[in-house]
């Protein structure tokens, strides 16, 4: 390979497109058959197919790809599957918006078809982005949750868990989104700070304070603290609710805060979680004042049909008119919102399906899993500790996995599908047997499963659960964002335990969020959203991936800054220049030359470089084992730029361009090993660039090669110390030349080095000067050659006469002035007047004389470097 055949500038887009076309993606396939390699299964997050593989996804997939590529090179049978979590509200909402319909205005099957069509198109768009970013996905293990081949497993898991006593059906309060008209789990409720009014209302015996006057129609009790003496005489008595007129009982409960509001609160069905606790605890009646569309029911009397907001305003107005409302105070509160449409949620009661929460099992499994970073485990522990109710898994939507259940019209018994019937939609098919009562008439379950029921079996699915393959649970790693620890991580552990009694993975690697260039979370409203495609088109996929690697440590949020991508592009160009220079000297130097090279002929800087290189391999390996991508890449970049380019290449140029064959051969050997090793170390991070580098070493892909191993025999503290001395001496001499305005290749008369035992050949080559290693210690004579008056001292002291004093000093014999200064006083004649000065009034510049020659002296790491001028 000659230098002319390698372009001077690195054309990233050209190289990346070339390798995208050339790569055979089957090299990333997992081998389900006999394999001597240990398995490494990644439970990859299935993104929601919005059509936009956003930058947060891209950061997560960069992390996954770094791991997948590294583990393959380490000899693992790696599965990096790709799934698509298709079902759920966002697609339904988008279809409703696109077609200007609601889900109930078209047949269920037609609505599902529209959703599938939209989703399939979005998957195609996102798949292209992933390929462009060079992710080594195993496309032979792609899964799509809306396809029967996948959701049959969701349904099987439901049947198994129902039959195993993990799932039950019950009329129970749930979080309800009036906009989406469906139940949502507690984990899907987002909270936002809001402002409201605390309304103070006269009841007949007590005054209450409430933020939800529209729920007075559903008031079923009033509660006070048992220690609150203001109300003790009324405990157990009936209270009249104003306007609505129902009588309720005043009860005493320690959960009431006497200091808040009036110390007396309404218990409504339902205003919040505390209302549910009291409703259960005291066996209170259930009054439904709000319907599934967020409208007031007939229970609300004249307010029936109003929206919640309209009703609140109307009730407040009527309370004022009747004299019941006597005060209002502003109050800040956290408002629970639907995670998909930001509509304030309500708590409604109705028949729903629930999964039992196994708190202790989940906490025990969490302890068996390695968390990266470790502190993220606390989030799961905290969430598990606050779960008061079971997981509501039924949804009142259409585009989701059907619940395989029917209800007997005659006796009302539940008929659950047998596994052999699955996949099945109860709305389109009837049970294949009669009910125990003999009836064959059934009502299908119209509710569908929460989309987390699909995605929480991904670990099982990718490990071969319910397939022709043997089950390989646990998977080795789960990569995911910290924002879905309480949902995806939590539910996956729960389901894995319920279905197989095992933890889902050995390790979990948590990534942070991507912040915009302004430091805020990316959002369209802030205008700070940047797409991966935008970055790759302006720079490259490898530059984007490098940003992902060095942006921050695992678990931490990462700010996207264009300057970091520009810096990444600069490193690619710098690395390309290093490569181009190196390869120009390896034209006829190949694997056989490396194999037959006699290591004893290496020079000091060669041993120094190879020792540093092997330490780099050791560091990179250890850091990647702990998923520390930022420190790994920074170490590689620092070695390439500072140790290799700035120092080693400069030191060996004399040998590379010289006539001494052994020294040249040693330098070429080191260059070959270093460039080949760097191409392997860079492969997990910047796969296109690494492939281009490696292509001149082999016809095989770099991504099919083994990760470099540490050669302990080449790690030497002695060689590193000697090499550092050579590097530093050369650096000081070059700095010396630069300070004098000399060209760096300008020769010096001679360089003598004392108090060091090192090779001098590379110093001579790098400084273009004769270098001699000297025995003993140098003898120096310091001869005064110039008097330099202290202007800052003499100016203020003599003012207008300062010039004459300075002129007189400069005319003096430097030797005589030094002698006077040593005594503490300096005397000069100025215009016939004798003036006495302090010794600090001058500085004496001296020349160093060694062996009768004028020299300059540098001290480097204890060595004395004498430069003969």
């Amino acid at each position: 390979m000659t230098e002319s055949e390698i372009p001077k500038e690195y054309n990233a887009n050209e190289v990346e497109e070339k390798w995208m076309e050339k790569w055979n993606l089957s090299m990333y396939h997992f081998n389900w058959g006999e394999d001597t390699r240990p398995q490494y299964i990644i439970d990859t997050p299935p993104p929601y197919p919005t059509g936009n593989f956003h930058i947060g996804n891209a950061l997560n997939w960069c992390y996954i790809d770094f791991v997948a590529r590294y583990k393959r090179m380490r000899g693992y049978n790696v599965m990096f599957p790709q799934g698509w979590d298709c079902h759920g509200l966002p697609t339904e909402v988008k279809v409703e918006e696109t077609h200007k319909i609601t889900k109930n205005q078209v047949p269920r099957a037609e609505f599902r078809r529209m959703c599938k069509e939209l989703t399939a198109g979005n998957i195609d768009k996102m798949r292209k982005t992933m390929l462009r970013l060079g992710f080594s996905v195993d496309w032979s293990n792609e899964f799509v949750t809306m396809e029967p081949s996948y959701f049959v497993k969701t349904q099987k898991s439901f049947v198994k868990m129902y039959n195993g006593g993990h799932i039950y059906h019950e009329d129970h309060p749930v979080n309800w989104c009036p906009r989406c008209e469906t139940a949502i789990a507690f984990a899907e409720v987002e909270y936002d700070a809001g402002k409201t009014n605390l309304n103070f209302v006269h009841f007949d015996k007590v005054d209450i304070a409430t933020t939800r006057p529209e729920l007075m129609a559903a008031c079923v009790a009033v509660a006070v603290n048992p220690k609150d003496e203001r109300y003790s005489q009324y405990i157990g008595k009936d209270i009249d609710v104003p306007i609505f007129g129902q009588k309720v009982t005043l009860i005493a409960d320690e959960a009431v805060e006497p200091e808040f509001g009036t110390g007396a609160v309404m218990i409504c069905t339902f205003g919040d979680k505390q209302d549910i606790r009291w409703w259960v605890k005291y066996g209170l009646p259930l009054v439904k004042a709000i319907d599934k569309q967020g409208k007031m029911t007939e229970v609300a009397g004249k307010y029936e049909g109003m929206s919640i907001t309209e009703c609140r305003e109307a009730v407040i107005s009527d309370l004022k008119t009747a004299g019941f409302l006597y005060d209002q105070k502003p109050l800040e509160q956290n408002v629970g919102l639907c995670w998909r449409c930001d509509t304030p949620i309500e708590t409604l009661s109705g028949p729903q399906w629930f999964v039992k929460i196994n708190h202790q099992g989940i906490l025990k499994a969490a302890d068996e899993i390695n968390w990266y970073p470790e502190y993220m485990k606390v989030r799961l522990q905290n969430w598990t500790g606050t779960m008061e109710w079971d997981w509501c898994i039924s949804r009142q939507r259409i585009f989701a996995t059907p619940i395989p259940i029917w209800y007997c019209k005659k006796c009302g018994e539940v008929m659950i599908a047998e596994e052999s019937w699955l996949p099945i939609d109860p709305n389109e098919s009837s049970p294949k047997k009669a009910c125990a009562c003999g009836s064959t008439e059934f009502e299908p379950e119209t509710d569908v499963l929460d989309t987390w029921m699909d995605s929480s079996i991904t670990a099982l699915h990718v490990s071969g659960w319910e397939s022709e393959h043997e089950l390989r649970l646990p998977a080795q790693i789960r990569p995911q964002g910290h924002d879905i620890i309480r949902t995806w991580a939590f539910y996956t552990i729960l389901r894995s335990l319920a279905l197989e009694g095992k933890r889902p993975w050995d390790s979990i690697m948590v990534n942070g969020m991507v912040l915009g260039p302004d430091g805020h979370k990316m959002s369209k409203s802030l205008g700070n959203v940047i797409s991966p495609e935008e970055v790759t088109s302006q720079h490259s996929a490898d530059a984007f991936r490098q940003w992902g690697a060095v942006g921050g440590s695992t678990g931490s949020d990462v700010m996207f800054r264009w300057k970091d991508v520009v810096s990444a592009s600069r490193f690619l160009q710098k690395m390309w220049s290093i490569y181009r220079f190196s390869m120009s000297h390896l034209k006829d130097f190949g694997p056989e030359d490396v194999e037959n090279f006699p290591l004893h002929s290496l020079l000091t800087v060669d041993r120094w470089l190879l020792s540093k290189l092997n330490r780099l391999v050791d560091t990179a390996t250890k850091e990647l084992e702990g998923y520390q991508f930022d420190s790994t890449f920074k170490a590689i970049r620092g070695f390439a730029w500072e140790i290799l380019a700035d120092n080693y290449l400069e030191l060996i140029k004399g040998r590379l361009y010289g006539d001494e064959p052994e020294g040249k051969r040693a330098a070429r050997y080191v260059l070959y090993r270093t460039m080949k090793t760097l191409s392997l170390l860079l492969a997990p991070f910047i796969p296109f660039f690494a492939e281009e580098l490696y292509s001149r070493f082999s016809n095989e892909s770099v991504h099919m090669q083994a990760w470099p191993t540490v050669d302990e025999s080449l790690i030497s503290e002695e060689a590193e110390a000697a090499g550092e001395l050579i590097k530093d001496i050369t650096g000081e001499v070059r700095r010396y030349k630069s300070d004098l305005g000399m060209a760096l290749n300008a020769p010096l008369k001679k360089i003598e080095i004392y108090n060091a035992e090192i090779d001098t050949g590379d110093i001579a080559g790098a400084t273009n000067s004769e270098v001699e290693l000297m025995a003993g210690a140098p003898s120096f004579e310091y001869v005064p050659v110039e008097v330099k008056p202290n202007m800052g001292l003499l100016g203020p002291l003599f003012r207008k006469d300062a010039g004459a004093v300075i002129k007189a000093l400069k005319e003096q014999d430097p030797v005589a002035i030094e002698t006077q200064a040593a005594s503490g006083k300096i005397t000069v004649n100025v215009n016939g007047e004798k003036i006495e000065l302090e010794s600090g009034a001058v500085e004496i510049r001296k020349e160093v004389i060694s062996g009768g020659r004028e020299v300059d002296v540098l001290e480097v790491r204890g060595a004395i470097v004498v430069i003969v001028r």
Side-chain angles (χ1 to χ4, degrees):
M1 175 56 60
T2 62
E3 189 173 8
S4 60
E5 291 175 307
I6 301 177
K8 188 174 181 180
E9 298 297 322
Y10 178 66
N11 188 325
N13 285 325
E14 187 179 289
V15 168
E16 292 180 359
E17 285 169 15
K18 175 179 79 173
W19 290 115
M20 277 180 67
E21 289 178 16
K22 283 191 172 185
W23 276 336
N24 181 351
L25 299 184
S26 66
M27 65 181 171
Y28 304 135
H29 288 181
F30 180 77
N31 181 10
W32 281 102
E34 292 287 325
D35 202 307
T36 56
R37 298 172 297 168
Q39 75 172 33
Y40 194 87
I41 295 177
I42 302 170
D43 182 18
T44 319
Y48 204 86
T50 60
N52 167 30
F53 192 79
H54 62 74
I55 204 162
N57 292 138
L59 175 69
N60 195 4
W61 264 255
C62 279
Y63 285 1
I64 303 168
D65 198 47
F66 299 158
V67 174
R69 290 185 181 278
Y70 167 69
K71 290 293 183 180
R72 283 193 204 97
M73 295 177 80
R74 289 281 283 170
Y76 286 85
N77 179 20
V78 173
M79 185 199 292
F80 177 3
Q82 183 54 53
W84 304 98
D85 188 15
C86 309
H87 291 136
L89 296 177
T91 299
E92 293 197 13
V93 171
K94 189 69 179 174
V95 165
E96 288 175 325
E97 288 175 357
T98 303
H99 295 278
K100 296 181 174 51
I101 56 168
T102 66
K103 64 185 171 78
N104 299 318
Q105 289 176 330
V106 292
R108 287 176 71 96
E110 175 63 11
F111 190 75
R112 287 178 67 87
R113 186 198 64 75
M114 292 177 182
C115 291
K116 286 188 74 170
E117 188 178 85
L118 174 69
T119 303
N122 287 345
I123 288 173
D124 284 342
K125 292 177 194 170
M126 294 172 75
R127 198 185 281 122
K128 283 174 184 160
T129 302
M130 296 171 76
L131 288 166
R132 182 64 190 87
L133 288 169
F135 299 139
S136 60
V137 169
D138 176 358
W139 294 103
S140 71
N141 279 295
E142 185 178 20
F143 60 90
V144 183
T145 62
M146 68 181 179
E147 296 298 336
S149 58
Y150 185 92
F151 76 69
V152 66
K153 293 189 179 185
T154 306
Q155 289 189 325
K156 280 187 178 181
S157 70
F158 178 92
V159 171
K160 287 177 186 291
M161 289 179 70
Y162 178 86
N163 291 334
H166 299 285
I167 290 178
Y168 62 92
H169 194 234
E170 189 176 274
D171 197 314
H172 193 278
V174 292
N175 296 309
W176 185 272
C177 173
R179 159 64 185 84
C180 300
E181 294 184 41
T182 185
I184 59 175
F186 278 104
E188 297 170 323
V189 178
E190 302 288 349
Y191 290 92
D192 193 23
K195 291 186 178 179
T196 187
N197 282 326
L198 186 62
N199 301 281
F200 292 79
V201 181
H202 293 302
F203 277 42
D204 67 337
K205 297 182 179 67
V206 298
D207 292 340
I208 64 99
T210 179
T211 59
R212 303 291 306 268
E214 71 277 12
L215 283 177
M216 287 171 61
C219 177
V220 291
V222 173
V224 297
N225 191 290
K227 296 177 183 176
D228 193 336
E229 295 180 358
R230 293 175 293 176
Y231 307 115
S232 56
Q233 70 270 33
Y234 300 122
I235 293 172
K237 302 286 178 66
D238 282 348
I239 305 287
D240 287 332
V241 177
I243 294 183
F244 295 95
Q246 73 267 35
K247 290 185 181 295
V248 298
T249 304
L250 184 72
I251 61 178
D253 193 279
E254 291 182 350
V256 179
E257 299 176 25
E259 302 80 17
F260 181 77
T262 65
V265 297
M266 290 196 304
I267 300 175
C268 304
T269 52
F270 296 96
D272 56 22
K273 287 169 77 171
Q274 185 57 55
D275 281 344
I276 301 174
R277 295 187 194 104
W278 282 326
W279 175 71
V280 172
K281 182 176 179 179
Y282 297 109
L284 299 170
L286 175 65
V287 179
K288 299 180 181 181
I290 299 173
D291 68 14
K292 293 179 178 181
Q293 288 77 40
K295 303 291 187 183
M296 303 309 295
T297 67
E298 60 184 9
V299 168
K302 70 174 188 177
Y303 309 104
E304 181 182 358
M306 290 185 180
S307 69
I308 295 166
T309 304
E310 289 169 344
C311 179
R312 181 180 304 155
E313 291 172 356
V315 169
I316 287 173
S317 175
D318 289 348
L319 286 170
K320 281 180 182 175
T321 303
F324 291 114
L325 182 74
Y326 67 91
D327 197 6
Q328 287 182 306
K329 292 181 180 177
L331 181 70
E332 292 186 359
Q333 63 174 181
N334 276 334
V335 181
L337 305 175
C338 172
W339 71 308
R340 285 303 186 188
C341 68
D342 291 338
T343 300
I345 59 158
E346 293 297 331
T347 306
L348 304 186
S349 187
Q352 302 286 352
W353 288 94
F354 295 88
V355 168
K356 293 177 181 176
I357 303 296
N358 175 8
H359 295 81
Q360 291 309 310
I362 290 169
L363 291 172
K364 182 174 179 292
D367 284 336
E368 295 172 1
I369 295 164
N370 299 310
W371 290 74
Y372 298 93
E374 172 68 24
Y375 64 81
M376 283 293 175
K377 180 166 70 172
V378 175
R379 298 197 181 195
L380 185 100
Q381 291 169 327
N382 289 345
W383 177 250
T384 307
T386 59
M387 289 288 288
E388 294 181 71
W389 289 286
D390 289 330
W391 172 23
C392 176
I393 58 168
S394 46
R395 298 290 180 268
Q396 291 64 47
R397 301 298 297 183
I398 294 173
F399 185 52
T401 297
I403 298 177
I405 291 286
W406 298 263
Y407 304 95
C408 177
K409 286 186 178 179
K410 184 176 179 183
C411 70
E413 277 299 302
V414 169
M415 167 71 76
I416 185 162
E418 295 181 6
E419 288 187 40
S420 61
W421 304 353
L422 305 175
I424 198 167
D425 185 345
N427 295 280
E428 296 177 2
S429 305
S430 298
K432 300 182 187 299
K433 65 180 184 180
C435 177
C437 73
S439 172
T440 55
E441 300 240 339
F442 295 92
E443 193 73 40
E445 173 62 82
T446 56
D447 285 359
V448 291
L449 289 172
D450 175 8
T451 188
W452 291 111
M453 282 289 283
D454 289 330
S455 58
S456 59
I457 60 165
T458 54
L460 289 159
H461 172 76
V462 298
S463 300
W465 188 72
E466 289 294 316
S467 72
E468 69 272 22
H469 306 297
E470 62 172 323
L471 181 63
R472 298 188 176 211
L473 202 69
Q476 277 52 66
I477 196 165
R478 152 66 67 85
Q480 67 161 72
H482 60 60
D483 57 324
I484 50 174
I485 287 175
R486 69 182 191 180
T487 46
W488 196 34
F490 179 88
Y491 294 146
T492 304
I493 295 171
L494 184 159
R495 303 261 268 139
S496 216
L497 291 175
L499 290 163
E500 289 295 331
K502 295 180 181 178
R503 67 178 183 272
W505 345 272
D506 295 330
S507 302
I508 181 168
M509 176 181 66
V510 182
N511 65 282
M513 302 292 102
V514 178
L515 307 178
D518 55 1
H520 293 100
K521 184 178 177 181
M522 284 194 180
S523 71
K524 289 180 181 177
S525 60
L526 291 175
N528 63 352
V529 175
I530 291 160
S531 71
E533 294 89 347
E534 194 178 342
V535 182
T536 54
S537 64
Q538 291 188 40
H539 295 277
S540 66
D542 280 334
F544 178 87
R545 292 170 62 104
Q546 193 184 144
W547 161 78
V550 301
S553 60
T554 314
S556 64
D557 290 344
V558 178
M559 186 185 297
F560 180 85
R561 298 181 299 191
W562 282 105
K563 68 176 185 178
D564 294 334
V565 181
V566 171
S567 173
S569 297
R570 284 185 186 142
F571 172 67
L572 292 177
Q573 188 56 54
K574 179 68 175 180
M575 190 68 221
W576 184 252
S577 299
I578 296 168
Y579 174 71
R580 184 170 177 266
F581 172 81
S582 300
M583 298 308 288
S584 72
H585 293 282
L586 297 174
K587 181 181 177 184
D588 52 359
F589 197 91
E592 286 185 7
D593 298 287
V594 172
E595 195 175 324
N596 298 324
F597 180 79
L599 291 176
H600 62 80
S601 63
L602 290 169
L603 300 185
T604 301
V605 292
D606 301 327
R607 294 183 185 279
W608 165 74
L609 193 282
L610 289 174
S611 185
K612 292 278 192 183
L613 178 66
N614 278 277
R615 285 196 195 277
L616 172 65
V617 172
D618 186 50
T619 297
T621 306
K622 286 173 179 171
E623 294 293 282
L624 279 177
E625 286 297 321
Y627 311 112
Q628 299 301 309
F629 312 119
D630 56 335
S631 53
T632 306
F633 198 89
K634 285 172 184 175
I636 297 169
R637 187 172 62 185
F639 172 89
W641 202 307
E642 295 152 24
I643 296 172
L644 178 60
D646 290 353
N647 290 290
Y648 183 73
L649 295 186
E650 295 302 322
L651 284 165
I652 64 166
K653 279 181 180 176
R655 277 191 273 156
L656 290 173
Y657 292 113
D659 299 323
E660 201 280 299
E662 286 305 309
K664 180 184 289 190
R665 186 182 176 198
R668 295 172 82 193
Y669 169 81
V670 173
L671 282 182
Y672 188 100
R673 284 196 61 170
T674 302
M675 294 314 302
K676 191 172 182 181
T677 300
L678 281 174
S679 66
L680 294 167
L681 293 176
L682 290 168
F685 299 102
I686 45 178
F688 297 104
F689 186 85
E691 190 75 284
E692 185 68 16
L693 299 192
Y694 195 78
S695 68
R696 293 176 177 87
F697 289 100
S698 170
N699 291 325
E700 295 180 351
S701 171
V702 70
H703 305 296
M704 298 292 286
Q705 305 310 306
W707 183 254
T709 54
V710 178
D711 187 341
E712 297 286 351
S713 70
L714 290 173
I715 295 179
S716 165
E717 289 188 11
E718 185 183 345
E720 287 186 31
E724 288 295 316
L725 182 55
I726 292 171
K727 178 200 79 172
D728 290 348
I729 288 173
T730 305
E732 286 300 316
V733 172
R734 288 166 70 88
R735 193 175 295 112
Y736 166 85
K737 287 182 178 182
S738 179
D739 290 345
L740 292 178
M742 298 174 65
L744 293 182
N745 63 349
L748 298 164
K749 281 185 183 177
K750 190 180 181 185
I751 299 172
E752 295 174 349
I753 302 174
Y754 294 81
N755 196 26
E757 294 182 15
I758 51 174
D759 294 339
T760 59
D762 287 329
I763 300 176
T767 60
N768 196 23
S769 306
E770 179 190 348
V771 180
E772 186 177 356
L773 212 57
M774 308 295 288
S779 60
F780 300 122
E781 185 184 347
Y782 295 89
V783 179
V785 294
E786 183 186 359
V787 177
K788 300 178 74 174
N790 185 335
M791 311 290 193
L793 180 72
L794 298 173
L797 193 62
F798 293 98
R799 300 185 181 276
K800 61 184 175 54
D801 296 324
V805 174
I806 290 166
K807 184 172 181 291
L809 280 169
K810 284 185 172 182
E811 290 171 351
Q812 300 299 307
D813 177 8
V815 176
I817 292 294
E818 185 189 35
T819 303
Q820 289 187 55
S823 68
K825 296 292 181 184
I826 298 170
T827 304
V828 291
N829 284 309
V830 180
N831 300 325
E833 182 184 349
K834 188 180 285 186
I835 295 175
E836 198 173 74
L837 302 169
E838 299 291 330
S839 60
V842 297
E843 178 189 337
I844 308 296
R845 186 176 75 81
K846 300 176 184 179
E847 284 189 346
V848 184
I849 305 295
S850 177
R853 307 162 305 177
E854 287 187 9
V855 298
D856 286 316
V857 181
L858 307 173
E859 188 172 343
V860 183
R861 291 178 175 262
I864 305 299
V865 182
V866 176
I867 299 174
V868 181
R869 289 190 266 143

